[in-house]
Amino acid sequence: MSVFSRLSDIINANLHSLLDKSEEPEKMIRLMIEEMEQVQIEMRTQAARLIAEQKQLERQQSALSQQMQGWAAKAELAIGKGREDLARAALGEKLAEAKRLALLEQDRDRLAEVLAQLNADSERLGAKLTEARERQKLLVLREQTAHSRIRARAQIDHSRMHELMARFDGVQGRVDQLEAQLEAATLGQNPSLEAQFRELELNDEIERELARLKGQKVEV
Protein backbone atom coordinates (compact mmCIF):
# COMPACT_ATOMS: atom_id res chain seq x y z
CA MET A 1 0.00 0.00 0.00
CA SER A 2 1.28 3.45 -0.89
CA VAL A 3 2.44 5.82 1.80
CA PHE A 4 -0.08 8.37 0.52
CA SER A 5 -3.29 7.32 -1.19
CA ARG A 6 -4.78 10.74 -1.98
CA LEU A 7 -3.55 14.23 -2.77
CA SER A 8 -5.04 15.67 0.41
CA ASP A 9 -3.05 13.16 2.47
CA ILE A 10 0.17 14.40 0.89
CA ILE A 11 -0.61 18.09 1.21
CA ASN A 12 -1.76 17.80 4.82
CA ALA A 13 1.03 15.45 5.87
CA ASN A 14 3.65 16.59 8.37
CA LEU A 15 6.76 15.12 6.81
CA HIS A 16 9.01 15.85 9.78
CA SER A 17 6.65 14.14 12.18
CA LEU A 18 6.23 11.11 9.94
CA LEU A 19 9.98 10.72 9.47
CA ASP A 20 10.76 11.20 13.15
CA LYS A 21 8.33 8.41 14.04
CA SER A 22 9.56 6.07 11.31
CA GLU A 23 12.02 3.30 12.12
CA GLU A 24 13.43 3.61 8.59
CA PRO A 25 13.35 7.34 7.70
CA GLU A 26 15.49 6.88 4.57
CA LYS A 27 13.08 4.32 3.14
CA MET A 28 10.07 6.36 4.27
CA ILE A 29 11.22 9.56 2.56
CA ARG A 30 12.04 7.66 -0.63
CA LEU A 31 8.53 6.20 -0.74
CA MET A 32 7.05 9.65 -0.06
CA ILE A 33 8.95 11.18 -2.96
CA GLU A 34 7.97 8.36 -5.31
CA GLU A 35 4.30 8.79 -4.36
CA MET A 36 4.46 12.56 -4.79
CA GLU A 37 6.11 12.26 -8.19
CA GLN A 38 3.44 9.80 -9.31
CA VAL A 39 0.64 12.10 -8.15
CA GLN A 40 2.36 15.03 -9.86
CA ILE A 41 2.39 13.12 -13.16
CA GLU A 42 -1.30 12.30 -12.77
CA MET A 43 -2.12 15.95 -12.02
CA ARG A 44 -0.25 17.14 -15.10
CA THR A 45 -2.08 14.57 -17.22
CA GLN A 46 -5.41 15.76 -15.83
CA ALA A 47 -4.47 19.39 -16.38
CA ALA A 48 -3.57 18.66 -20.01
CA ARG A 49 -6.94 16.98 -20.52
CA LEU A 50 -8.83 19.90 -18.95
CA ILE A 51 -6.95 22.45 -21.05
CA ALA A 52 -7.82 20.46 -24.18
CA GLU A 53 -11.51 20.45 -23.16
CA GLN A 54 -11.32 24.17 -22.49
CA LYS A 55 -9.98 24.86 -25.98
CA GLN A 56 -12.69 22.66 -27.48
CA LEU A 57 -15.36 24.64 -25.61
CA GLU A 58 -13.88 27.88 -26.90
CA ARG A 59 -14.09 26.59 -30.46
CA GLN A 60 -17.71 25.52 -29.91
CA GLN A 61 -18.54 28.91 -28.43
CA SER A 62 -17.00 30.68 -31.39
CA ALA A 63 -18.97 28.49 -33.80
CA LEU A 64 -22.26 29.10 -31.93
CA SER A 65 -21.63 32.86 -31.90
CA GLN A 66 -21.14 32.81 -35.67
CA GLN A 67 -24.32 30.73 -36.11
CA MET A 68 -26.30 33.16 -33.95
CA GLN A 69 -25.09 36.05 -36.10
CA GLY A 70 -26.10 34.08 -39.18
CA TRP A 71 -29.62 33.43 -37.88
CA ALA A 72 -29.97 37.12 -36.91
CA ALA A 73 -29.00 38.14 -40.44
CA LYS A 74 -31.49 35.66 -41.87
CA ALA A 75 -34.23 37.02 -39.63
CA GLU A 76 -33.51 40.54 -40.90
CA LEU A 77 -33.54 39.31 -44.48
CA ALA A 78 -36.87 37.54 -43.97
CA ILE A 79 -38.44 40.69 -42.46
CA GLY A 80 -37.13 42.70 -45.39
CA LYS A 81 -38.79 40.27 -47.77
CA GLY A 82 -42.04 40.28 -45.85
CA ARG A 83 -41.57 36.76 -44.61
CA GLU A 84 -42.36 37.13 -40.96
CA ASP A 85 -42.79 33.39 -40.58
CA LEU A 86 -39.22 32.78 -41.73
CA ALA A 87 -38.05 35.59 -39.49
CA ARG A 88 -39.72 33.92 -36.52
CA ALA A 89 -38.11 30.58 -37.37
CA ALA A 90 -34.69 32.18 -37.73
CA LEU A 91 -35.06 33.97 -34.39
CA GLY A 92 -36.10 30.66 -32.80
CA GLU A 93 -32.87 29.05 -34.02
CA LYS A 94 -30.94 32.03 -32.74
CA LEU A 95 -32.47 31.66 -29.28
CA ALA A 96 -31.73 27.91 -29.27
CA GLU A 97 -28.11 28.64 -30.15
CA ALA A 98 -28.02 31.23 -27.38
CA LYS A 99 -29.15 28.64 -24.82
CA ARG A 100 -26.49 26.20 -25.99
CA LEU A 101 -23.94 29.01 -25.78
CA ALA A 102 -25.00 29.75 -22.20
CA LEU A 103 -24.52 26.09 -21.27
CA LEU A 104 -21.07 26.13 -22.83
CA GLU A 105 -20.26 29.24 -20.80
CA GLN A 106 -21.23 27.39 -17.62
CA ASP A 107 -19.11 24.41 -18.61
CA ARG A 108 -16.19 26.70 -19.38
CA ASP A 109 -16.54 28.43 -16.00
CA ARG A 110 -16.54 25.08 -14.20
CA LEU A 111 -13.47 23.99 -16.12
CA ALA A 112 -11.74 27.24 -15.22
CA GLU A 113 -12.50 26.63 -11.52
CA VAL A 114 -11.19 23.06 -11.70
CA LEU A 115 -8.05 24.21 -13.47
CA ALA A 116 -7.46 26.95 -10.92
CA GLN A 117 -7.84 24.47 -8.06
CA LEU A 118 -5.60 22.00 -9.87
CA ASN A 119 -2.93 24.65 -10.34
CA ALA A 120 -3.13 25.59 -6.66
CA ASP A 121 -2.89 21.95 -5.59
CA SER A 122 0.00 21.44 -8.02
CA GLU A 123 1.90 24.34 -6.45
CA ARG A 124 1.29 22.99 -2.97
CA LEU A 125 2.38 19.53 -4.07
CA GLY A 126 5.48 21.00 -5.67
CA ALA A 127 6.36 22.76 -2.41
CA LYS A 128 5.81 19.52 -0.49
CA LEU A 129 7.97 17.62 -2.96
CA THR A 130 10.75 20.20 -2.62
CA GLU A 131 10.51 19.87 1.16
CA ALA A 132 10.74 16.09 0.91
CA ARG A 133 13.76 16.22 -1.40
CA GLU A 134 15.54 18.66 0.91
CA ARG A 135 14.81 16.38 3.85
CA GLN A 136 16.15 13.44 1.84
CA LYS A 137 19.38 15.35 1.19
CA LEU A 138 19.71 16.03 4.91
CA LEU A 139 19.15 12.37 5.75
CA VAL A 140 21.75 11.30 3.18
CA LEU A 141 24.19 13.89 4.55
CA ARG A 142 23.56 12.73 8.12
CA GLU A 143 24.14 9.11 7.08
CA GLN A 144 27.38 10.01 5.28
CA THR A 145 28.53 12.06 8.27
CA ALA A 146 27.76 9.17 10.61
CA HIS A 147 29.76 6.75 8.45
CA SER A 148 32.63 9.23 8.26
CA ARG A 149 32.64 9.62 12.04
CA ILE A 150 32.62 5.85 12.49
CA ARG A 151 35.57 5.46 10.11
CA ALA A 152 37.41 8.33 11.78
CA ARG A 153 36.76 6.83 15.22
CA ALA A 154 38.04 3.46 14.02
CA GLN A 155 41.17 5.09 12.64
CA ILE A 156 41.71 7.00 15.89
CA ASP A 157 41.24 3.83 17.95
CA HIS A 158 43.62 1.97 15.63
CA SER A 159 46.22 4.73 15.88
CA ARG A 160 45.83 4.91 19.63
CA MET A 161 46.29 1.15 19.92
CA HIS A 162 49.51 1.39 17.92
CA GLU A 163 50.65 4.26 20.11
CA LEU A 164 49.91 2.30 23.29
CA MET A 165 51.71 -0.76 21.96
CA ALA A 166 54.71 1.37 21.00
CA ARG A 167 54.73 2.96 24.45
CA PHE A 168 54.52 -0.50 26.06
CA ASP A 169 57.36 -1.78 23.93
CA GLY A 170 59.39 1.27 24.91
CA VAL A 171 58.76 0.73 28.61
CA GLN A 172 59.56 -2.97 28.31
CA GLY A 173 62.76 -2.10 26.49
CA ARG A 174 63.80 0.33 29.20
CA VAL A 175 63.08 -2.29 31.89
CA ASP A 176 65.17 -4.87 30.01
CA GLN A 177 67.98 -2.33 29.67
CA LEU A 178 67.91 -1.53 33.40
CA GLU A 179 67.98 -5.24 34.30
CA ALA A 180 70.94 -5.76 31.97
CA GLN A 181 72.78 -2.81 33.50
CA LEU A 182 72.12 -4.17 36.99
CA GLU A 183 73.33 -7.64 36.07
CA ALA A 184 76.49 -6.21 34.52
CA ALA A 185 77.16 -4.02 37.55
CA THR A 186 76.94 -6.95 40.00
CA LEU A 187 78.84 -9.40 37.85
CA GLY A 188 81.49 -11.23 40.02
CA GLN A 189 80.42 -9.49 43.21
CA ASN A 190 77.64 -11.66 44.48
CA PRO A 191 78.08 -15.24 43.24
CA SER A 192 75.05 -17.42 43.21
CA LEU A 193 74.40 -20.02 45.90
CA GLU A 194 75.31 -22.86 43.59
CA ALA A 195 78.58 -21.16 42.67
CA GLN A 196 79.45 -20.79 46.37
CA PHE A 197 78.87 -24.52 46.99
CA ARG A 198 81.01 -25.42 43.97
CA GLU A 199 83.79 -23.26 45.41
CA LEU A 200 83.54 -25.09 48.79
CA GLU A 201 83.68 -28.48 47.08
CA LEU A 202 86.67 -27.39 45.04
CA ASN A 203 88.49 -26.24 48.18
CA ASP A 204 87.85 -29.61 49.84
CA GLU A 205 89.26 -31.48 46.84
CA ILE A 206 92.35 -29.28 46.88
CA GLU A 207 92.91 -29.91 50.61
CA ARG A 208 92.53 -33.69 50.20
CA GLU A 209 94.93 -33.75 47.28
CA LEU A 210 97.41 -31.69 49.24
CA ALA A 211 97.20 -34.04 52.23
CA ARG A 212 97.75 -37.07 50.01
CA LEU A 213 100.85 -35.55 48.51
CA LYS A 214 102.25 -34.77 51.98
CA GLY A 215 101.62 -38.34 53.14
CA GLN A 216 103.47 -39.81 50.19
CA LYS A 217 106.47 -37.59 50.94
CA VAL A 218 106.70 -38.78 54.61
CA GLU A 219 106.61 -42.46 53.57
CA VAL A 220 109.57 -41.96 51.23
Side-chain angles (χ1 to χ4, degrees), residues 20-61:
D20 291 340
K21 295 178 181 178
S22 174
E23 295 181 357
E24 297 179 299
E26 294 84 1
K27 179 179 179 181
M28 184 72 169
I29 193 67
R30 178 173 55 80
L31 293 175
M32 287 180 180
I33 292 174
E34 290 177 357
E35 183 71 15
M36 290 180 189
E37 290 175 342
Q38 182 60 38
V39 172
Q40 194 175 54
I41 292 174
E42 294 174 359
M43 292 179 69
R44 289 173 178 171
T45 301
Q46 184 179 4
R49 180 178 59 81
L50 292 176
I51 292 173
E53 291 182 7
Q54 191 177 49
K55 292 184 178 297
Q56 184 178 3
L57 287 176
E58 291 174 354
R59 289 194 295 270
Q60 292 177 355
Q61 285 178 308

Side-chain angles (χ1 to χ4, degrees), residues 23-157:
E23 295 181 357
E24 297 179 299
E26 294 84 1
K27 179 179 179 181
M28 184 72 169
I29 193 67
R30 178 173 55 80
L31 293 175
M32 287 180 180
I33 292 174
E34 290 177 357
E35 183 71 15
M36 290 180 189
E37 290 175 342
Q38 182 60 38
V39 172
Q40 194 175 54
I41 292 174
E42 294 174 359
M43 292 179 69
R44 289 173 178 171
T45 301
Q46 184 179 4
R49 180 178 59 81
L50 292 176
I51 292 173
E53 291 182 7
Q54 191 177 49
K55 292 184 178 297
Q56 184 178 3
L57 287 176
E58 291 174 354
R59 289 194 295 270
Q60 292 177 355
Q61 285 178 308
S62 178
L64 285 176
S65 295
Q66 292 178 0
Q67 292 176 12
M68 288 176 62
Q69 293 176 3
W71 286 116
K74 289 179 181 179
E76 291 178 0
L77 177 62
I79 289 295
K81 298 296 184 178
R83 296 292 305 272
E84 185 176 340
D85 56 332
L86 290 179
R88 287 179 179 277
L91 291 175
E93 292 294 331
K94 179 184 176 182
L95 290 175
E97 297 289 2
K99 291 180 180 179
R100 285 194 287 270
L101 183 60
L103 292 176
L104 288 179
E105 287 286 351
Q106 293 177 4
D107 291 341
R108 185 180 177 185
D109 291 341
R110 284 194 293 268
L111 273 179
E113 291 178 0
V114 174
L115 270 173
Q117 184 62 47
L118 188 60
N119 287 333
D121 290 342
S122 180
E123 291 179 359
R124 295 170 66 187
L125 176 62
K128 212 72 174 180
L129 185 54
T130 299
E131 178 186 356
R133 285 170 176 164
E134 290 297 326
R135 187 61 186 271
Q136 185 183 41
K137 291 179 182 178
L138 290 176
L139 288 175
V140 171
L141 181 60
R142 285 174 56 188
E143 183 178 4
Q144 292 175 347
T145 302
H147 286 312
S148 298
R149 292 178 63 183
I150 291 173
R151 288 194 297 269
R153 181 60 181 271
Q155 291 175 355
I156 292 174
D157 291 343

